[in-house]
Short mmCIF file of all heavy atoms in Angstrom, two decimals:
data_model
loop_
_atom_site.label_atom_id
_atom_site.label_comp_id
_atom_site.label_asym_id
_atom_site.label_seq_id
_atom_site.Cartn_x
_atom_site.Cartn_y
_atom_site.Cartn_z
N VAL A 16 -8.81 10.14 -3.44
CA VAL A 16 -7.35 10.17 -3.34
C VAL A 16 -6.92 11.13 -2.24
O VAL A 16 -6.03 10.82 -1.43
CB VAL A 16 -6.71 10.58 -4.69
CG1 VAL A 16 -5.22 10.87 -4.51
CG2 VAL A 16 -6.91 9.49 -5.72
N GLU A 17 -7.55 12.29 -2.17
CA GLU A 17 -7.22 13.27 -1.14
C GLU A 17 -7.46 12.71 0.26
O GLU A 17 -6.64 12.89 1.17
CB GLU A 17 -8.05 14.53 -1.35
CG GLU A 17 -7.73 15.67 -0.40
CD GLU A 17 -8.53 16.93 -0.69
OE1 GLU A 17 -9.15 17.01 -1.76
OE2 GLU A 17 -8.54 17.82 0.19
N LEU A 18 -8.59 12.00 0.43
CA LEU A 18 -8.89 11.41 1.73
C LEU A 18 -7.88 10.33 2.09
O LEU A 18 -7.42 10.26 3.23
CB LEU A 18 -10.30 10.84 1.71
CG LEU A 18 -10.77 10.13 2.98
CD1 LEU A 18 -10.82 11.11 4.16
CD2 LEU A 18 -12.16 9.49 2.77
N ILE A 19 -7.55 9.49 1.14
CA ILE A 19 -6.58 8.41 1.38
C ILE A 19 -5.23 8.99 1.76
O ILE A 19 -4.58 8.53 2.70
CB ILE A 19 -6.47 7.51 0.14
CG1 ILE A 19 -7.77 6.73 -0.06
CG2 ILE A 19 -5.28 6.54 0.27
CD1 ILE A 19 -7.86 6.01 -1.40
N ASP A 20 -4.79 10.01 1.03
CA ASP A 20 -3.51 10.65 1.35
C ASP A 20 -3.53 11.28 2.73
O ASP A 20 -2.53 11.25 3.46
CB ASP A 20 -3.18 11.70 0.29
CG ASP A 20 -2.75 11.10 -1.03
OD1 ASP A 20 -2.41 9.90 -1.05
OD2 ASP A 20 -2.77 11.82 -2.05
N GLU A 21 -4.66 11.85 3.10
CA GLU A 21 -4.77 12.51 4.41
C GLU A 21 -4.69 11.49 5.54
O GLU A 21 -4.01 11.72 6.54
CB GLU A 21 -6.10 13.27 4.48
CG GLU A 21 -6.37 13.93 5.81
CD GLU A 21 -7.73 14.58 5.87
OE1 GLU A 21 -8.31 14.88 4.79
OE2 GLU A 21 -8.25 14.78 6.99
N LEU A 22 -5.37 10.35 5.38
CA LEU A 22 -5.42 9.36 6.45
C LEU A 22 -4.20 8.44 6.44
O LEU A 22 -3.81 7.89 7.48
CB LEU A 22 -6.71 8.54 6.35
CG LEU A 22 -8.00 9.36 6.52
CD1 LEU A 22 -9.22 8.47 6.36
CD2 LEU A 22 -8.03 10.05 7.88
N GLY A 23 -3.62 8.23 5.27
CA GLY A 23 -2.34 7.55 5.18
C GLY A 23 -2.32 6.08 5.57
O GLY A 23 -1.27 5.57 5.96
N GLU A 24 -3.43 5.37 5.44
CA GLU A 24 -3.48 3.98 5.87
C GLU A 24 -3.07 3.00 4.78
O GLU A 24 -2.77 1.84 5.08
CB GLU A 24 -4.87 3.64 6.39
CG GLU A 24 -5.24 4.44 7.63
CD GLU A 24 -6.50 3.91 8.29
OE1 GLU A 24 -6.42 2.87 8.97
OE2 GLU A 24 -7.56 4.53 8.10
N PHE A 25 -3.10 3.43 3.53
CA PHE A 25 -2.62 2.59 2.44
C PHE A 25 -2.22 3.50 1.28
O PHE A 25 -2.48 4.70 1.29
CB PHE A 25 -3.65 1.55 2.00
CG PHE A 25 -5.06 2.06 1.87
CD1 PHE A 25 -5.51 2.66 0.72
CD2 PHE A 25 -5.95 1.92 2.93
CE1 PHE A 25 -6.81 3.11 0.60
CE2 PHE A 25 -7.26 2.38 2.84
CZ PHE A 25 -7.69 2.99 1.67
N ASP A 26 -1.53 2.93 0.30
CA ASP A 26 -1.03 3.70 -0.84
C ASP A 26 -2.05 3.67 -1.98
O ASP A 26 -2.83 2.73 -2.12
CB ASP A 26 0.29 3.11 -1.33
CG ASP A 26 1.38 3.22 -0.27
OD1 ASP A 26 1.42 4.24 0.44
OD2 ASP A 26 2.18 2.27 -0.15
N VAL A 27 -2.01 4.71 -2.81
CA VAL A 27 -2.96 4.80 -3.91
C VAL A 27 -2.28 5.33 -5.16
O VAL A 27 -1.44 6.22 -5.10
CB VAL A 27 -4.17 5.69 -3.51
CG1 VAL A 27 -3.72 7.11 -3.17
CG2 VAL A 27 -5.24 5.69 -4.59
N ASP A 28 -2.64 4.74 -6.29
CA ASP A 28 -2.26 5.22 -7.61
C ASP A 28 -3.54 5.51 -8.39
O ASP A 28 -4.63 5.07 -8.00
CB ASP A 28 -1.43 4.19 -8.37
CG ASP A 28 -0.07 3.95 -7.73
OD1 ASP A 28 0.60 4.94 -7.41
OD2 ASP A 28 0.30 2.78 -7.55
N ILE A 29 -3.42 6.21 -9.50
CA ILE A 29 -4.57 6.59 -10.30
C ILE A 29 -4.24 6.36 -11.78
O ILE A 29 -3.09 6.56 -12.20
CB ILE A 29 -4.97 8.05 -10.01
CG1 ILE A 29 -6.29 8.42 -10.67
CG2 ILE A 29 -3.87 9.00 -10.37
CD1 ILE A 29 -6.82 9.78 -10.21
N THR A 30 -5.23 5.94 -12.57
CA THR A 30 -4.95 5.59 -13.96
C THR A 30 -4.94 6.79 -14.89
O THR A 30 -4.36 6.74 -15.98
CB THR A 30 -5.99 4.59 -14.51
OG1 THR A 30 -7.31 5.18 -14.42
CG2 THR A 30 -5.95 3.28 -13.74
N ARG A 31 -5.59 7.88 -14.51
CA ARG A 31 -5.56 9.08 -15.36
C ARG A 31 -5.68 10.32 -14.49
O ARG A 31 -6.22 10.29 -13.40
CB ARG A 31 -6.70 9.06 -16.40
CG ARG A 31 -8.09 9.35 -15.85
CD ARG A 31 -9.10 9.53 -16.99
NE ARG A 31 -10.46 9.66 -16.52
CZ ARG A 31 -11.07 10.82 -16.29
NH1 ARG A 31 -10.41 11.95 -16.45
NH2 ARG A 31 -12.34 10.86 -15.89
N TYR A 32 -5.16 11.43 -15.03
CA TYR A 32 -5.23 12.72 -14.36
C TYR A 32 -5.93 13.72 -15.26
O TYR A 32 -5.78 13.70 -16.49
CB TYR A 32 -3.84 13.23 -14.00
CG TYR A 32 -3.19 12.44 -12.88
CD1 TYR A 32 -2.39 11.33 -13.18
CD2 TYR A 32 -3.39 12.77 -11.55
CE1 TYR A 32 -1.81 10.58 -12.15
CE2 TYR A 32 -2.81 12.03 -10.52
CZ TYR A 32 -2.02 10.95 -10.83
OH TYR A 32 -1.45 10.21 -9.82
N ASP A 33 -6.70 14.60 -14.64
CA ASP A 33 -7.39 15.67 -15.35
C ASP A 33 -8.21 15.12 -16.51
O ASP A 33 -9.04 14.26 -16.32
CB ASP A 33 -6.37 16.72 -15.82
CG ASP A 33 -5.67 17.39 -14.65
OD1 ASP A 33 -6.32 17.57 -13.61
OD2 ASP A 33 -4.48 17.71 -14.77
N HIS A 34 -7.92 15.60 -17.73
CA HIS A 34 -8.77 15.25 -18.87
C HIS A 34 -8.26 14.06 -19.67
O HIS A 34 -8.83 13.74 -20.72
CB HIS A 34 -8.89 16.46 -19.82
CG HIS A 34 -9.51 17.65 -19.18
ND1 HIS A 34 -10.84 17.70 -18.83
CD2 HIS A 34 -8.99 18.85 -18.81
CE1 HIS A 34 -11.12 18.87 -18.29
NE2 HIS A 34 -10.01 19.60 -18.27
N ALA A 35 -7.21 13.44 -19.22
CA ALA A 35 -6.65 12.32 -19.99
C ALA A 35 -7.71 11.26 -20.25
O ALA A 35 -8.57 11.00 -19.42
CB ALA A 35 -5.48 11.71 -19.24
N ASP A 36 -7.64 10.64 -21.43
CA ASP A 36 -8.60 9.59 -21.79
C ASP A 36 -7.82 8.33 -22.15
O ASP A 36 -7.66 8.00 -23.32
CB ASP A 36 -9.48 10.04 -22.95
CG ASP A 36 -10.63 9.07 -23.20
OD1 ASP A 36 -10.97 8.32 -22.27
OD2 ASP A 36 -11.18 9.08 -24.32
N ASN A 37 -7.33 7.65 -21.14
CA ASN A 37 -6.56 6.43 -21.38
C ASN A 37 -7.46 5.33 -21.95
O ASN A 37 -8.62 5.22 -21.58
CB ASN A 37 -5.93 5.94 -20.08
CG ASN A 37 -4.93 6.92 -19.51
OD1 ASN A 37 -4.60 7.92 -20.14
ND2 ASN A 37 -4.45 6.65 -18.31
N SER A 38 -6.88 4.53 -22.81
CA SER A 38 -7.63 3.41 -23.37
C SER A 38 -7.83 2.33 -22.32
O SER A 38 -7.15 2.31 -21.28
CB SER A 38 -6.88 2.83 -24.57
OG SER A 38 -5.70 2.18 -24.13
N LEU A 39 -8.75 1.42 -22.60
CA LEU A 39 -8.96 0.29 -21.69
C LEU A 39 -7.69 -0.54 -21.58
O LEU A 39 -7.35 -1.03 -20.49
CB LEU A 39 -10.13 -0.56 -22.17
CG LEU A 39 -11.51 0.09 -22.12
CD1 LEU A 39 -12.56 -0.86 -22.67
CD2 LEU A 39 -11.87 0.52 -20.71
N ASN A 40 -6.99 -0.71 -22.70
CA ASN A 40 -5.73 -1.47 -22.66
C ASN A 40 -4.72 -0.81 -21.74
O ASN A 40 -4.02 -1.50 -20.97
CB ASN A 40 -5.14 -1.58 -24.07
CG ASN A 40 -5.85 -2.64 -24.91
OD1 ASN A 40 -6.43 -3.58 -24.37
ND2 ASN A 40 -5.80 -2.48 -26.22
N GLU A 41 -4.62 0.52 -21.80
CA GLU A 41 -3.67 1.23 -20.94
C GLU A 41 -4.02 1.08 -19.47
O GLU A 41 -3.15 0.93 -18.61
CB GLU A 41 -3.64 2.71 -21.32
CG GLU A 41 -2.96 2.98 -22.65
CD GLU A 41 -3.08 4.42 -23.08
OE1 GLU A 41 -4.18 5.01 -22.91
OE2 GLU A 41 -2.08 4.98 -23.57
N ARG A 42 -5.30 1.06 -19.16
CA ARG A 42 -5.73 0.90 -17.77
C ARG A 42 -5.39 -0.50 -17.27
O ARG A 42 -4.93 -0.68 -16.14
CB ARG A 42 -7.22 1.20 -17.66
CG ARG A 42 -7.57 2.65 -17.99
CD ARG A 42 -9.07 2.86 -18.19
NE ARG A 42 -9.34 4.11 -18.90
CZ ARG A 42 -9.81 5.21 -18.34
NH1 ARG A 42 -10.07 5.25 -17.05
NH2 ARG A 42 -10.03 6.29 -19.06
N VAL A 43 -5.65 -1.49 -18.11
CA VAL A 43 -5.32 -2.87 -17.74
C VAL A 43 -3.82 -3.03 -17.58
O VAL A 43 -3.34 -3.67 -16.63
CB VAL A 43 -5.87 -3.85 -18.80
CG1 VAL A 43 -5.30 -5.25 -18.57
CG2 VAL A 43 -7.39 -3.89 -18.74
N GLU A 44 -3.05 -2.46 -18.51
CA GLU A 44 -1.59 -2.57 -18.43
C GLU A 44 -1.04 -1.93 -17.17
O GLU A 44 -0.08 -2.43 -16.57
CB GLU A 44 -0.97 -1.93 -19.67
CG GLU A 44 -1.17 -2.75 -20.95
CD GLU A 44 -0.79 -1.99 -22.20
OE1 GLU A 44 -0.29 -0.84 -22.06
OE2 GLU A 44 -0.99 -2.52 -23.31
N MET A 45 -1.64 -0.83 -16.74
CA MET A 45 -1.18 -0.18 -15.51
C MET A 45 -1.45 -1.08 -14.31
O MET A 45 -0.61 -1.19 -13.40
CB MET A 45 -1.86 1.17 -15.34
CG MET A 45 -1.32 1.95 -14.15
SD MET A 45 -1.94 3.66 -14.10
CE MET A 45 -1.07 4.26 -12.64
#
C-alpha cells in the first residue's frame, strides 16, 4: 500500500487494518 501510494499510478483499498479479523463474508462484501 505504501509503495502504491508513493507511485500513485492506481488507487488502493484494504480489507482490514492492524489486528482486525474480518470474516470471509465481510471481505467478499467489501
Side-chain angles (χ1 to χ4, degrees):
V16 169
E17 184 177 347
L18 178 63
I19 292 169
D20 287 344
E21 177 184 339
L22 297 178
E24 296 191 77
F25 44 85
D26 297 323
V27 60
D28 293 313
I29 188 171
T30 60
R31 75 171 173 94
Y32 289 90
D33 297 325
H34 299 291
D36 189 21
N37 297 353
S38 69
L39 293 178
N40 282 335
E41 288 173 318
R42 296 167 198 254
V43 169
E44 288 169 4
M45 186 171 182

